[in-house]
mmCIF file of all heavy atoms in Angstrom:
data_model
loop_
_atom_site.group_PDB
_atom_site.id
_atom_site.type_symbol
_atom_site.label_atom_id
_atom_site.label_comp_id
_atom_site.label_asym_id
_atom_site.label_seq_id
_atom_site.Cartn_x
_atom_site.Cartn_y
_atom_site.Cartn_z
ATOM 1 N N ASP A 800 -14.570 -8.463 -13.197
ATOM 2 C CA ASP A 800 -14.701 -8.464 -14.654
ATOM 3 C C ASP A 800 -13.302 -8.231 -15.234
ATOM 4 O O ASP A 800 -12.786 -7.112 -15.235
ATOM 5 C CB ASP A 800 -15.651 -7.356 -15.098
ATOM 6 C CG ASP A 800 -15.831 -7.355 -16.621
ATOM 7 O OD1 ASP A 800 -15.161 -8.155 -17.304
ATOM 8 O OD2 ASP A 800 -16.633 -6.536 -17.097
ATOM 9 N N LEU A 801 -12.665 -9.349 -15.667
ATOM 10 C CA LEU A 801 -11.296 -9.267 -16.176
ATOM 11 C C LEU A 801 -11.252 -9.177 -17.693
ATOM 12 O O LEU A 801 -10.160 -9.184 -18.271
ATOM 13 C CB LEU A 801 -10.498 -10.489 -15.704
ATOM 14 C CG LEU A 801 -10.421 -10.694 -14.178
ATOM 15 C CD1 LEU A 801 -9.608 -11.931 -13.856
ATOM 16 C CD2 LEU A 801 -9.836 -9.472 -13.494
ATOM 17 N N SER A 802 -12.425 -9.116 -18.326
ATOM 18 C CA SER A 802 -12.435 -9.013 -19.792
ATOM 19 C C SER A 802 -11.758 -7.706 -20.194
ATOM 20 O O SER A 802 -12.031 -6.636 -19.648
ATOM 21 C CB SER A 802 -13.873 -9.055 -20.315
ATOM 22 O OG SER A 802 -14.630 -7.998 -19.772
ATOM 23 N N GLY A 803 -10.878 -7.808 -21.112
ATOM 24 C CA GLY A 803 -10.163 -6.625 -21.577
ATOM 25 C C GLY A 803 -8.931 -6.287 -20.762
ATOM 26 O O GLY A 803 -8.154 -5.415 -21.141
ATOM 27 N N THR A 804 -8.732 -6.949 -19.632
ATOM 28 C CA THR A 804 -7.559 -6.653 -18.817
ATOM 29 C C THR A 804 -6.456 -7.682 -18.984
ATOM 30 O O THR A 804 -5.299 -7.387 -18.719
ATOM 31 C CB THR A 804 -7.936 -6.589 -17.321
ATOM 32 O OG1 THR A 804 -8.456 -7.860 -16.904
ATOM 33 C CG2 THR A 804 -8.962 -5.499 -17.088
ATOM 34 N N ILE A 805 -6.830 -8.916 -19.405
ATOM 35 C CA ILE A 805 -5.811 -9.941 -19.616
ATOM 36 C C ILE A 805 -6.116 -10.686 -20.906
ATOM 37 O O ILE A 805 -7.257 -10.738 -21.359
ATOM 38 C CB ILE A 805 -5.753 -10.947 -18.446
ATOM 39 C CG1 ILE A 805 -7.098 -11.662 -18.265
ATOM 40 C CG2 ILE A 805 -5.304 -10.285 -17.164
ATOM 41 C CD1 ILE A 805 -7.040 -12.779 -17.224
ATOM 42 N N ASP A 806 -5.087 -11.278 -21.494
ATOM 43 C CA ASP A 806 -5.222 -12.130 -22.677
ATOM 44 C C ASP A 806 -5.545 -13.528 -22.169
ATOM 45 O O ASP A 806 -4.653 -14.284 -21.776
ATOM 46 C CB ASP A 806 -3.910 -12.111 -23.458
ATOM 47 C CG ASP A 806 -4.004 -12.900 -24.764
ATOM 48 O OD1 ASP A 806 -4.883 -13.768 -24.872
ATOM 49 O OD2 ASP A 806 -3.168 -12.657 -25.654
ATOM 50 N N VAL A 807 -6.865 -13.875 -22.167
ATOM 51 C CA VAL A 807 -7.298 -15.128 -21.554
ATOM 52 C C VAL A 807 -6.638 -16.343 -22.179
ATOM 53 O O VAL A 807 -6.112 -17.208 -21.470
ATOM 54 C CB VAL A 807 -8.838 -15.243 -21.577
ATOM 55 C CG1 VAL A 807 -9.272 -16.602 -21.042
ATOM 56 C CG2 VAL A 807 -9.457 -14.119 -20.745
ATOM 57 N N PRO A 808 -6.612 -16.510 -23.515
ATOM 58 C CA PRO A 808 -5.968 -17.696 -24.090
ATOM 59 C C PRO A 808 -4.492 -17.798 -23.715
ATOM 60 O O PRO A 808 -3.999 -18.883 -23.390
ATOM 61 C CB PRO A 808 -6.156 -17.492 -25.597
ATOM 62 C CG PRO A 808 -7.355 -16.622 -25.733
ATOM 63 C CD PRO A 808 -7.273 -15.692 -24.559
ATOM 64 N N ALA A 809 -3.779 -16.667 -23.765
ATOM 65 C CA ALA A 809 -2.355 -16.696 -23.422
ATOM 66 C C ALA A 809 -2.160 -17.038 -21.945
ATOM 67 O O ALA A 809 -1.258 -17.797 -21.578
ATOM 68 C CB ALA A 809 -1.715 -15.348 -23.742
ATOM 69 N N GLU A 810 -3.028 -16.480 -21.081
ATOM 70 C CA GLU A 810 -2.909 -16.758 -19.653
ATOM 71 C C GLU A 810 -3.229 -18.215 -19.369
ATOM 72 O O GLU A 810 -2.566 -18.867 -18.550
ATOM 73 C CB GLU A 810 -3.859 -15.838 -18.870
ATOM 74 C CG GLU A 810 -3.746 -15.956 -17.359
ATOM 75 C CD GLU A 810 -2.408 -15.482 -16.815
ATOM 76 O OE1 GLU A 810 -1.605 -14.871 -17.565
ATOM 77 O OE2 GLU A 810 -2.146 -15.735 -15.616
ATOM 78 N N ARG A 811 -4.262 -18.774 -20.063
ATOM 79 C CA ARG A 811 -4.606 -20.190 -19.866
ATOM 80 C C ARG A 811 -3.429 -21.070 -20.299
ATOM 81 O O ARG A 811 -3.095 -22.045 -19.633
ATOM 82 C CB ARG A 811 -5.873 -20.532 -20.670
ATOM 83 C CG ARG A 811 -6.394 -21.944 -20.394
ATOM 84 C CD ARG A 811 -7.657 -22.226 -21.194
ATOM 85 N NE ARG A 811 -8.714 -21.267 -20.883
ATOM 86 C CZ ARG A 811 -9.478 -21.343 -19.790
ATOM 87 N NH1 ARG A 811 -9.285 -22.326 -18.915
ATOM 88 N NH2 ARG A 811 -10.426 -20.462 -19.574
ATOM 89 N N LYS A 812 -2.793 -20.697 -21.404
ATOM 90 C CA LYS A 812 -1.657 -21.475 -21.904
ATOM 91 C C LYS A 812 -0.494 -21.443 -20.903
ATOM 92 O O LYS A 812 0.149 -22.452 -20.612
ATOM 93 C CB LYS A 812 -1.214 -20.915 -23.256
ATOM 94 C CG LYS A 812 -0.086 -21.701 -23.919
ATOM 95 C CD LYS A 812 0.236 -21.115 -25.291
ATOM 96 C CE LYS A 812 1.368 -21.903 -25.951
ATOM 97 N NZ LYS A 812 1.706 -21.350 -27.290
ATOM 98 N N ARG A 813 -0.248 -20.253 -20.381
ATOM 99 C CA ARG A 813 0.845 -20.123 -19.413
ATOM 100 C C ARG A 813 0.592 -20.930 -18.146
ATOM 101 O O ARG A 813 1.463 -21.657 -17.661
ATOM 102 C CB ARG A 813 1.041 -18.641 -19.043
ATOM 103 C CG ARG A 813 2.192 -18.378 -18.082
ATOM 104 C CD ARG A 813 2.252 -16.922 -17.669
ATOM 105 N NE ARG A 813 1.161 -16.550 -16.788
ATOM 106 C CZ ARG A 813 1.159 -16.782 -15.461
ATOM 107 N NH1 ARG A 813 2.170 -17.411 -14.886
ATOM 108 N NH2 ARG A 813 0.124 -16.406 -14.723
ATOM 109 N N LEU A 814 -0.622 -20.804 -17.593
ATOM 110 C CA LEU A 814 -0.954 -21.524 -16.362
ATOM 111 C C LEU A 814 -0.937 -23.035 -16.586
ATOM 112 O O LEU A 814 -0.498 -23.801 -15.715
ATOM 113 C CB LEU A 814 -2.325 -21.076 -15.856
ATOM 114 C CG LEU A 814 -2.420 -19.624 -15.366
ATOM 115 C CD1 LEU A 814 -3.865 -19.266 -15.050
ATOM 116 C CD2 LEU A 814 -1.549 -19.420 -14.132
#
Side-chain angles (χ1 to χ4, degrees):
D800 181 356
L801 302 180
S802 59
T804 61
I805 60 173
D806 184 338
V807 175
E810 185 66 10
R811 187 179 301 281
K812 184 177 180 180
R813 182 185 71 82
L814 293 173

